[in-house]
Amino acid sequence: MPSTRERRFMQGNEAVLEGALAAGARFFAGYPITPSSEIAQAASVRLPALGGTYLQMEDELASMAAVVGAALAGEKSFTATSGPGVSLMQENLGVAIMAEVPCVVVDVQRSGPSTGLATKPAQADTMQARWGSHGDHSAIVLAPSSVQECFDLTVRAFNLAEQYRHPVYLLSDEIVGHMRESVTLPEADEVDIITRRKPDVDPADYRPHDWESDGVTPPLAPFGSEYIYHANSSMHDDTGFPNADPENARRVISHLHDKIEKAVDDIADYELVGPEDPDVIIVTYGCTARTAEQLVLDQPVNGCRVSLLVMRSLWPFPDAAFAEIRAGGIPVVVAEMNLGQMVREVSRVMGPDYPCHSLTKSNGIPISPREMAAFIEEEVL
Amino acid sequence: MSRQTALNKAKSGERTEIVLAGVGGQGLVFIGGLLGRAATARGQHAVQTQSFGVASRGGFTKSDIILAELPVAYPMVTEPDAVLALTDEAYHRYADLKPGALLLYDSDNVAVDEGAPGRGFPFTTAARRENLEGSYNVLALGALVGMTQVVPEDAIREAVDGPNLKAFELGLMLVQDERGG
């Protein structure tokens, strides 16, 4: 953990690791893959030094399984991967969703499909992070656009994981992950950490999924303690044991969905930057937010006032962020390094007649400020 | 400082864009990191990005560094103020720079006609003569810092030692007649 507020020149991936350590993470299991490997590399050095565990697994399926297991044993656990690795993790990510196991998955996005344009940047896992694992569920996904945010949002990812007993994605990308920037990390006592609640009931009375009588997030007992219970990937009741009753299934699935969707106001993190009376608002996240920031600096762009809505949380989708924009009728441009994933969600909120433009790029090269400015001139003005 | 405050304070154009280009294995990302650390230590804002192919050794590689007094928005170089080109390919990729920009190259590796743009120095020969091949990259950085003064020379001196420090001084010496300041 950083002990001074010294300014440092640090890589995004390194800042993720620092954030994880500051949040109290002491277990990493993974299989190195560019552009995420620096996280594993740093974890392999730093975690053992802190009494934690670094496990290099045989593949990403096993990595995610180990992360879930370590979390159930009481550790704050995480993994880091990219493209093909994220796909392999979906099955055991689903286990974490169903069994309500807090953990963090860092996806430093690269171009796909499959091994794709290794290892160029992309933002095309936006929907996979939401829907990659099968079945009805919600998702908590944070997206950093700077090295500082790599630290800050990793801390928050661990906190949200504990708060909602849910696997949380940190959706980074090759540019943000490999970029080095001047940052100032907070001191250890300046970082707010949510610590896992442990049960204090008699072990015979412990029900790991009793969210109805004990708040949204019931305490989670560490495996190996006197609390013996069932962590179940199949449909279960509040004891964790199988229960195929349709009414129970409806109740559980609704809970897994609602515990996050109904907390959107708590989870949502976005910022509108730029002039208060813009002619256009660029909606974006991750590396592409840096392009939009440049336009905000350079304005007016072609005589046009540009603001930026930077989304630091992608899911649950913050509908409220767009309500005020919609009321003002200001055209929006949703810019992303994919063929148009987030724009669908923005369009859903804005409605079919709203001027909502989609600026996409999917060739491994970031959207430049010049391209963004040209798009505004040609498509919006 | 919130992003809004930072953006309000920052002004466009007040950034120095540097490209370090060559071939994988030359240590371009390393010297980019030295520049970034030196600038950060002196209170500047620095951003470094890099681009390399699947094979990081042997293919065209570059590292972009942007230095500014205030936080940097777009992290990629769009119009370099200075380019360090350590291979022929790197030189020719950047031969057409904006007026006033510096194209500094290793004349041992780059074949150019008379009157071609840029300023060449024999980095490879100089490093070999002093038995500093392992610090070739830092020698070239010395020449770049000497000619541009993008960071104070002392800021790099504080960040290196041993052969790297020797190589840095040698790079400065090589360009001493054209040293900026």
Side-chain angles (χ1 to χ4, degrees), chain A residues 7 178 180 182 290 293 298, chain B residues 3 12 40 44 48 72-73:
Chain A
R7 268 164 55 82
H178 275 165
R180 286 181 176 80
S182 314
R290 304 295 288 261
E293 278 184 12
D298 289 348
Chain B
R3 210 130 258 263
S12 171
T40 300
Q44 281 189 291
Q48 178 189 22
V72 173

Side-chain angles (χ1 to χ4, degrees), chain A residues 56-112:
Chain A
Q56 184 160 322
M57 300 301 288
E58 68 267 35
D59 59 30
E60 287 86 348
L61 283 88
S63 301
M64 192 64 217
V67 165
V68 174
L72 282 168
E75 291 287 357
K76 288 188 177 179
S77 68
F78 69 119
T79 189
T81 188
S82 184
V86 195
S87 296
L88 289 172
M89 287 181 179
Q90 295 303 324
E91 183 179 5
N92 285 321
L93 193 83
V95 173
I97 292 170
M98 191 58 151
E100 300 190 83
V101 182
C103 55
V104 171
V105 174
V106 182
D107 175 4
V108 187
Q109 296 171 92
R110 60 187 246 184
S111 175

Side-chain angles (χ1 to χ4, degrees), chain A residues 18-166:
Chain A
E18 292 299 328
L21 297 179
R26 291 296 180 267
F27 183 95
F28 177 99
Y31 186 86
I33 178 171
T34 305
S36 75
S37 299
E38 293 84 2
I39 300 172
Q41 188 181 5
S44 74
V45 175
R46 299 291 304 281
L47 278 171
L50 292 166
T53 303
Y54 170 85
L55 265 186
Q56 184 160 322
M57 300 301 288
E58 68 267 35
D59 59 30
E60 287 86 348
L61 283 88
S63 301
M64 192 64 217
V67 165
V68 174
L72 282 168
E75 291 287 357
K76 288 188 177 179
S77 68
F78 69 119
T79 189
T81 188
S82 184
V86 195
S87 296
L88 289 172
M89 287 181 179
Q90 295 303 324
E91 183 179 5
N92 285 321
L93 193 83
V95 173
I97 292 170
M98 191 58 151
E100 300 190 83
V101 182
C103 55
V104 171
V105 174
V106 182
D107 175 4
V108 187
Q109 296 171 92
R110 60 187 246 184
S111 175
S114 191
T115 40
L117 187 58
T119 53
K120 301 292 183 198
Q123 297 178 287
D125 298 354
T126 302
M127 281 295 173
Q128 187 189 36
R130 174 63 185 88
W131 294 111
S133 197
H134 60 273
D136 276 321
H137 59 83
S138 185
I140 303 176
V141 180
L142 309 180
S145 65
S146 68
V147 175
Q148 187 70 51
E149 285 179 3
C150 282
F151 179 91
D152 296 342
L153 297 188
T154 300
V155 171
R156 184 147 197 259
F158 279 96
N159 284 344
L160 291 170
E162 297 297 336
Q163 202 174 338
Y164 296 98
R165 270 184 62 179
H166 190 84

Side-chain angles (χ1 to χ4, degrees), chain A residues 9 33 95 220 296 321-322 345 362 372:
Chain A
F9 187 61
I33 178 171
V95 173
L220 184 60
V296 172
F322 297 91
E345 209 66 15
S362 204
M372 197 175 268

Side-chain angles (χ1 to χ4, degrees), chain A residues 38-370:
Chain A
E38 293 84 2
I39 300 172
Q41 188 181 5
S44 74
V45 175
R46 299 291 304 281
L47 278 171
L50 292 166
T53 303
Y54 170 85
L55 265 186
Q56 184 160 322
M57 300 301 288
E58 68 267 35
D59 59 30
E60 287 86 348
L61 283 88
S63 301
M64 192 64 217
V67 165
V68 174
L72 282 168
E75 291 287 357
K76 288 188 177 179
S77 68
F78 69 119
T79 189
T81 188
S82 184
V86 195
S87 296
L88 289 172
M89 287 181 179
Q90 295 303 324
E91 183 179 5
N92 285 321
L93 193 83
V95 173
I97 292 170
M98 191 58 151
E100 300 190 83
V101 182
C103 55
V104 171
V105 174
V106 182
D107 175 4
V108 187
Q109 296 171 92
R110 60 187 246 184
S111 175
S114 191
T115 40
L117 187 58
T119 53
K120 301 292 183 198
Q123 297 178 287
D125 298 354
T126 302
M127 281 295 173
Q128 187 189 36
R130 174 63 185 88
W131 294 111
S133 197
H134 60 273
D136 276 321
H137 59 83
S138 185
I140 303 176
V141 180
L142 309 180
S145 65
S146 68
V147 175
Q148 187 70 51
E149 285 179 3
C150 282
F151 179 91
D152 296 342
L153 297 188
T154 300
V155 171
R156 184 147 197 259
F158 279 96
N159 284 344
L160 291 170
E162 297 297 336
Q163 202 174 338
Y164 296 98
R165 270 184 62 179
H166 190 84
V168 173
Y169 268 102
L170 184 83
L171 197 62
S172 181
D173 55 65
E174 191 277 338
I175 293 172
V176 173
H178 275 165
M179 180 165 71
R180 286 181 176 80
E181 284 191 286
S182 314
V183 291
T184 306
L185 301 188
E187 293 199 49
D189 60 6
E190 295 173 319
V191 179
D192 290 327
I193 296 171
I194 293 179
T195 308
R196 190 172 307 175
R197 274 201 310 147
K198 289 184 181 155
D200 51 13
V201 297
D202 188 284
D205 297 329
Y206 178 54
R207 289 178 297 154
H209 300 283
D210 180 18
W211 64 84
E212 278 164 350
S213 63
D214 203 3
V216 170
T217 310
L220 184 60
F223 267 59
S225 70
E226 68 273 29
Y227 292 89
I228 296 168
Y229 65 101
H230 206 55
N232 202 334
S233 66
S234 293
M235 187 54 69
H236 50 265
D237 58 25
D238 59 4
T239 65
F241 280 95
N243 184 332
D245 174 65
E247 173 52 21
N248 177 68
R250 183 202 62 75
R251 212 174 57 93
V252 170
I253 293 173
S254 299
H255 163 70
L256 294 178
H257 182 266
D258 290 353
K259 70 175 178 179
I260 291 165
E261 294 297 324
K262 288 187 174 168
V264 61
D265 290 343
D266 172 52
I267 298 167
D269 182 8
Y270 53 84
E271 188 179 355
L272 189 61
V273 295
E276 285 175 9
D277 55 343
D279 300 310
V280 61
I281 296 175
I282 299 163
V283 176
T284 189
Y285 50 97
C287 63
T288 308
R290 304 295 288 261
T291 310
E293 278 184 12
Q294 192 63 48
L295 261 57
V296 172
L297 287 180
D298 289 348
Q299 59 195 328
V301 176
N302 302 325
C304 164
R305 290 183 305 267
V306 179
S307 281
L308 157 67
L309 182 75
V310 56
M311 298 177 69
R312 286 186 281 259
S313 69
L314 306 185
W315 309 106
F317 193 78
D319 287 21
F322 297 91
E324 203 175 320
I325 296 175
R326 191 176 48 199
I330 301 155
V332 298
V333 172
V334 183
E336 46 193 336
M337 281 188 74
N338 56 51
L339 290 181
Q341 297 190 12
M342 194 53 93
V343 67
R344 291 167 176 249
E345 209 66 15
V346 177
S347 300
R348 171 186 66 75
V349 180
M350 299 309 244
D353 300 324
Y354 198 89
C356 180
H357 305 268
S358 175
L359 169 56
T360 70
K361 195 170 178 183
S362 204
N363 64 353
I365 299 182
I367 301 170
S368 73
R370 194 170 294 173

